[in-house]
Amino acid sequence: MSFGDPNNPYGQQQGQPGYGYPQGQPQGQQPGYGYPQAPPVQPYDGSGFPGGPTEMPGGVKAARVMLFIIGGFQVIGAIFAALAAFGVSKAKDDPALKDDVQFQQVADWSVGAVWAVAFVILAWGVLAIVLGAKFSSGGNGIRVTAMVFGIITAVLGIYPFVIVGLVHTVLAILITVFVGKADGGAWFGRPRH
């Protein structure tokens, strides 16, 4: 049996199928237009989950609970600030406290300023609760807002309120870390149908 010249690059080589056909496939069957079949395309968001996770990751759940805890602490703090504003307002009229030097330092605060502080504390708590509530349906904007909230809360917990803000600081750092991780990004970046 002769297979032609073995040095001819255009001739049929010994032991190989004919020109233009993949190895192992008979010459009578051709794939469509010479291209191999590709697997079906699935949505992929780069997180390892096709289409994103279907259940909230544990770190994101923990961050959500921590936001609710911070919100609760803020509401309690707003109640104490409102009671302080009420007390200072009522005590300014007490003639027995006119000579008390320590009370006069507290009485020098404007009652309106104390009410403003109470309002800011309450607003920060409401923001924490709303962010926590939006975790199940929110997108990347909620993730970024939660991270900024965590960073600002951590900084405020360190500087003006060192002892009282220690719990806030720890919770805020954990919120920022858990939301900023890859599984947090996958949760907030998942497609919503």
Side-chain angles (χ1 to χ4, degrees):
M1 228 177 168
S2 173
F3 288 101
D5 184 11
N7 295 325
N8 183 358
Y10 301 109
Q12 185 175 7
Q13 300 296 317
Q14 185 175 8
Q16 293 183 355
Y19 177 78
Y21 293 101
Q23 291 185 0
Q25 186 169 359
Q27 289 185 4
Q29 299 173 351
Q30 295 181 1
Y33 300 105
Y35 293 104
Q37 294 294 322
V41 178
Q42 293 181 344
Y44 181 71
D45 61 356
S47 65
F49 301 105
T54 57
E55 184 179 333
M56 189 181 299
V60 177
K61 284 181 186 177
R64 182 183 198 183
V65 170
M66 290 176 204
L67 280 168
F68 290 142
I69 290 171
I70 286 178
F73 283 153
Q74 293 296 112
V75 170
I76 292 170
I79 290 171
F80 283 135
L83 289 175
F86 225 30
V88 168
S89 170
K90 198 88 157 147
K92 277 189 175 183
D93 299 332
D94 189 4
L97 295 174
K98 296 275 186 199
D99 296 331
D100 189 1
V101 176
Q102 291 178 342
F103 176 73
Q104 289 304 319
Q105 290 175 346
V106 173
D108 287 341
W109 297 348
S110 167
V111 176
V114 177
W115 279 109
V117 168
F119 176 75
V120 168
I121 292 171
L122 181 64
W124 200 251
V126 168
L127 176 62
I129 292 170
V130 168
L131 279 174
K134 289 287 199 176
F135 268 32
S136 61
S137 63
N140 201 37
I142 296 295
R143 176 183 184 223
V144 170
T145 305
M147 289 172 64
V148 169
F149 175 87
I151 292 167
I152 292 173
T153 302
V155 169
L156 290 176
I158 290 173
Y159 173 61
F161 313 107
V162 176
I163 301 298
V164 178
L166 185 61
V167 174
H168 277 74
T169 302
V170 171
L171 292 176
I173 289 170
L174 289 173
I175 288 168
T176 305
V177 168
F178 288 153
V179 172
K181 285 177 26 180
D183 60 348
W187 173 254
F188 289 107
R190 74 192 185 285
R192 288 162 196 77
H193 305 316

